[in-house]
Structures are given as C-alpha cells and as structure tokens.
C-alpha cells in the first residue's frame, strides 16, 4: 500500500514538472499610465510568470509606426547608455523595473514590455508615459492683422503642451473686447464687423497649470477713412501778427493733408508755414501758421485729409481783432524751470497804441 502511494506521488510530481517546463510565459502585471513633470522620476514595472528561460525586453516604440522601436533593456541589463535609465529585477515577484530619472520631454511615449518566445512569437504589454509640458504658442497662430472698417475678421491661437492648454483672449489695458467683456475663451476670436475702436493689441494666453503659461501679442490694425476735428473753429488776430490754425486728423493709413484758402492750395512761403505732427499711427495734428497777417488773409481756411478709404475736411475762420492775441503774438520768457508768456517791448507798444486808438474811437462815438 505504501509502495503504491509512493509510485503515485512520483508520477504526479513528474507530470507537474513536465507541465511547468512547458508552460507559456505570461505578463501578469504592467504599470498603468504614468504622468510626470519634466525633471521628475518614474518606475515602470513588468511582472512575468514562467519567464526565467526567455528574454524579457523593455522597448520604447511608436504606435503610429513613424519611427523605429528602440530597445532599452534585456533581462540582464540596459542596452542604451544613458545614466538617466536603470533596470532592476525582483526575483520574488519576477518583476522587471525600468527606472527613468530627470525626465525629459522626449521621454514621453509608449513603453512596451516584451517576452520573446520564438522568432515569430512575442507576448507584450504596454504603458504610456505622459510628460507635463508648459504651453508653447504654435507657429500657425495669428501674428498680426490689417483689415478695413466694416469688414469681418478673426484671430486664431493654438498651443502645444500637456495637459492640453486652454486659450483665453484679452486686450491691452483690459479694454473691452469686441465680443463683450474683458476675457474671451476659445482658440478663435471672431469680430463680425470691425470698428476703428477695435484696433490695438490683443493678448492670446495659453495656460495648462505647468509653468507660467505662454502669451502672444497680436496687433489688429484697422484701416478707416479720415475724421477731421477742429478744436477752435473761429480765431481772431490783429493785423501784422501771426496766428496758428489747427486741425486734428484721425485716419489709417496715414492720409494726405492739405490746407486751402478760398479753394486755393497753400504751401510753405513767406505768408504760410504748414506742419504735421503724428502723435500715433492713426493720429496727426496739423497746423497752419499765418505769418504777419494782411487784410486779404482773413477769411475761411480749410484743412483736408484723404486716404484710399475716403476723405474729410474741417474749416477754421480767421477774423480781425484790434488787440493782438497771445500766443503766438507774444514772445516767451523763462524763469527757472517754468515757462510763462511775456509780451515783447514792441508788442506792448503796439498793444498800447491799439488800445488808445480803440478808446479814442469809442469816445468819439459816444459824443
């Protein structure tokens, strides 16, 4: 009886040994998806049962097959020479651990644990390593726009990074956006009908919680017809004195500006001096100085502005006065850092004479 039991036990043990020797290796565990910051560290585990007699590899591969797979390690150790990578094996759990430290952006991708059974038979499991990256504004984003008033336009902003960045729009000095409000969220900012007030700098901001985010300045330039304003439509000055006539012009592109008197085009000479001062791309102040005024120079002056989108004009009337108007009739005297207007001796004499004549006329009229 005992002998029969021993024979039975021997046969069972022999059969189990044969079965174990013929068992196919299996991957019982693979690390789940990993998300890490640049500069961090990650451990990728692969547990293989019945794999002692088979090569076990860690491979970085491209799921899209655009690049060749890169073997990183075999059962015995690393294949690549990179101090950031290391391999260790735990005999108790039959686990192969691939460690990566000082993670770089290029380390992101899929890692595959392979057990090579034969030339044509491989079992595998894979894990994705995602590396958090700060946003970068893509080159296909809008850089600047030039459009005409009344037309529709849009600005586009795209960004790369992980997690996928969110895009928001703002204007310089937190001005109100054409869409309303001070912030708009989305990749495309549409303006159905552009007004000249919409011109200026827009900020495309990409944020994903990694780093400080990214920003691009987008300049929107709006072309529009000139708008002429006259700060002082009527100006008086005495004979033989100078007077400045002014117009403010708002337009883009910068317009051609002319001054006329009785529909006659004026130019710089001994009677007139024209000057333009651009305060910005869209704003120009123009001044006509009437020099040593004569009787024939009193009347209506016109400043005209014209660009490819249209034209506008403003009118300034110059009339005669008895008493000179300062400035520009007066000279300037400086006291320290301050500047004050002070009439010259000649101006005082003329003003006094004019006042006496004026008083004499009034007295004769009353009598």
């Amino acid at each position: 009886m005992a002998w029969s039991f021993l024979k039975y036990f021997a046969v069972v043990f022999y059969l189990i040994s044969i079965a174990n020797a013929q068992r196919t290796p299996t991957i019982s565990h693979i690390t789940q998806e990993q998300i890490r910051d640049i500069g961090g560290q990650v451990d990728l585990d692969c547990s293989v049962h019945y794999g002692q007699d088979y090569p076990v590899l860690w491979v970085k591969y491209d799921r899209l097959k655009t690049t060749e797979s890169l073997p990183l390690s075999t059962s015995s150790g690393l294949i690549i020479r990179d101090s950031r990578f290391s391999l260790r094996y735990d005999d108790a759990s039959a686990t192969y651990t691939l460690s990566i430290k000082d993670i770089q952006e290029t380390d992101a991708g899929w890692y595959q644990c392979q057990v090579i059974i034969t030339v044509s038979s491989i079992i595998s499991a894979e894990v994705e390593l995602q590396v958090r990256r700060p946003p970068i504004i893509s080159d296909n984003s809008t850089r600047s726009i030039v459009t005409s008033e009344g037309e529709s336009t849009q600005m586009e902003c795209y960004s790369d990074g992980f997690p996928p960045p969110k895009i928001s729009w703002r204007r310089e000095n937190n001005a109100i956006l054409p869409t309303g409000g001070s912030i708009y969220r989305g990749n495309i900012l549409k303006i159905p009908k552009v007004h000249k007030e919409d011109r200026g700098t827009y900020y495309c901001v990409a944020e994903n919680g990694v780093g400080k985010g990214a920003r691009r300045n987008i300049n929107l330039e709006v072309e529009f017809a000139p708008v002429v304003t006259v700060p002082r439509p009527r100006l008086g000055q005495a004979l033989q004195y100078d007077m400045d006539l002014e117009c403010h012009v708002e337009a883009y592109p910068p317009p051609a500006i002319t001054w006329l008197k009785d529909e006659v085009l004026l130019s710089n000479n001994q009677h007139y001096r024209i000057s333009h001062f651009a305060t910005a791309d869209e704003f120009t102040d123009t001044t006509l100085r009437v020099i040593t005024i004569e009787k024939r120079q009193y009347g209506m002056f016109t400043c005209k502005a014209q660009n490819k989108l249209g034209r506008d004009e403003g009118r300034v009337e110059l009339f005669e006065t008895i008493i000179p108007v300062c400035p520009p009739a007066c000279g300037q005297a400086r006291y320290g850092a301050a500047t004050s207007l002070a009439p010259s001796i000649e101006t005082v004499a003329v003003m006094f004479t004019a006042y006496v004549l004026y008083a004499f006329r009034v007295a004769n009229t009353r009598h």
Side-chain angles (χ1 to χ4, degrees), residues 40-79:
Q41 180 176 339
V42 68
D43 289 339
L44 305 179
D45 296 332
C46 178
S47 300
V48 181
H49 283 186
Y50 313 111
Q52 295 87 343
D53 298 326
Y54 300 90
V56 178
L57 283 71
W58 273 107
V59 175
K60 185 179 181 186
Y61 81 110
D62 182 5
R63 276 191 163 189
L64 300 177
K65 307 299 183 183
T66 56
T67 60
E68 293 292 331
S69 296
L70 176 64
L72 302 174
S73 69
T74 64
S75 303
S76 57
L78 290 174
I79 297 175

Side-chain angles (χ1 to χ4, degrees), residues 28 46-50 52 88-96:
S28 60
C46 178
S47 300
V48 181
H49 283 186
Y50 313 111
Q52 295 87 343
R88 64 180 183 270
Y89 175 70
D90 180 51
D91 187 61
S93 59
T95 299
Y96 297 84

Side-chain angles (χ1 to χ4, degrees), residues 330-346:
C330 307
Q332 288 189 339
R334 291 184 177 273
Y335 300 96
T339 302
S340 61
L341 298 175
S344 62
I345 295 176
E346 293 82 1

Side-chain angles (χ1 to χ4, degrees), residues 278-353:
T279 58
D281 288 343
E282 304 89 355
F283 296 97
T284 303
D285 293 338
T286 179
T287 301
L288 172 67
R289 171 161 286 192
V290 186
I291 303 171
T292 316
I293 297 172
E294 301 174 4
K295 274 281 187 181
R296 61 184 179 84
Q297 290 175 294
Y298 291 116
M300 192 67 70
F301 291 81
T302 304
C303 63
K304 292 186 176 182
Q306 179 176 354
N307 65 12
K308 66 180 183 180
L309 297 175
R311 66 179 66 188
D312 195 19
E313 64 181 43
R315 293 177 178 272
V316 185
E317 181 185 1
L318 178 62
F319 61 91
E320 182 179 358
T321 63
I322 300 299
I323 301 175
V325 177
C326 297
C330 307
Q332 288 189 339
R334 291 184 177 273
Y335 300 96
T339 302
S340 61
L341 298 175
S344 62
I345 295 176
E346 293 82 1
T347 300
V348 172
V350 172
M351 291 176 66
F352 179 75
T353 302

Side-chain angles (χ1 to χ4, degrees), residues 116-122:
I116 301 176
I117 300 173
T118 66
V119 174
S120 59
S121 178
I122 298 175

Side-chain angles (χ1 to χ4, degrees), residues 14-245:
Y14 175 74
L15 292 174
I16 292 175
S17 299
I18 293 175
N20 285 340
Q22 293 179 346
R23 280 194 176 181
T24 302
T26 59
I27 296 175
S28 60
H29 170 75
I30 187 78
T31 302
Q32 298 302 304
E33 177 188 65
Q34 297 292 300
I35 301 175
R36 292 290 187 275
D37 292 329
I38 290 178
Q41 180 176 339
V42 68
D43 289 339
L44 305 179
D45 296 332
C46 178
S47 300
V48 181
H49 283 186
Y50 313 111
Q52 295 87 343
D53 298 326
Y54 300 90
V56 178
L57 283 71
W58 273 107
V59 175
K60 185 179 181 186
Y61 81 110
D62 182 5
R63 276 191 163 189
L64 300 177
K65 307 299 183 183
T66 56
T67 60
E68 293 292 331
S69 296
L70 176 64
L72 302 174
S73 69
T74 64
S75 303
S76 57
L78 290 174
I79 297 175
I80 61 169
R81 291 187 176 182
D82 190 330
S83 60
R84 298 185 303 110
F85 288 76
S86 62
L87 181 73
R88 64 180 183 270
Y89 175 70
D90 180 51
D91 187 61
S93 59
T95 299
Y96 297 84
T97 301
L98 178 68
S99 293
I100 309 173
K101 64 180 181 180
D102 190 20
I103 294 173
Q104 305 299 312
E105 184 175 340
T106 54
D107 295 329
W110 289 88
Y111 291 80
Q112 193 174 70
C113 176
Q114 299 179 351
V115 183
I116 301 176
I117 300 173
T118 66
V119 174
S120 59
S121 178
I122 298 175
I123 61 172
S124 64
E126 58 206 31
V127 55
E128 183 181 13
L129 172 61
Q130 296 184 342
V131 180
R132 279 191 281 257
R133 307 184 306 277
I136 299 176
I137 304 294
S138 303
D139 290 337
N140 61 341
S141 301
T142 305
R143 293 186 177 274
S144 63
I145 293 180
V146 178
T147 188
S148 297
E149 189 172 29
E151 295 183 351
S152 62
T153 190
Q154 66 182 36
M155 289 173 275
E156 301 180 15
C157 186
Y158 303 98
S159 178
D160 186 29
F162 185 82
K166 294 181 179 179
I167 302 297
S168 61
W169 295 86
R170 297 175 178 82
R171 286 187 72 177
E172 191 174 25
N173 299 322
N174 285 324
I176 300 300
L177 292 164
T179 53
S182 58
I183 299 177
Y184 178 81
R185 303 190 186 280
N187 292 94
I188 300 176
L189 177 64
K190 293 183 179 180
I191 308 176
K193 187 176 182 180
V194 177
H195 299 87
K196 67 177 186 292
E197 292 79 15
D198 297 329
R199 67 188 185 273
T201 301
Y202 290 72
Y203 302 135
C204 158
V205 181
E207 298 171 303
N208 68 350
V210 181
K212 297 181 179 179
R215 188 180 84 171
R216 170 173 289 183
N217 297 354
I218 301 172
N219 186 54
L220 173 61
E221 197 63 74
V222 180
E223 296 180 333
F224 58 97
V227 177
V228 177
T229 56
V230 179
R232 292 182 294 172
R234 297 187 76 249
L235 292 168
Q237 185 59 290
L239 284 167
Q240 299 302 305
Y241 287 90
D242 299 351
M243 177 51 72
D244 290 337
L245 315 183

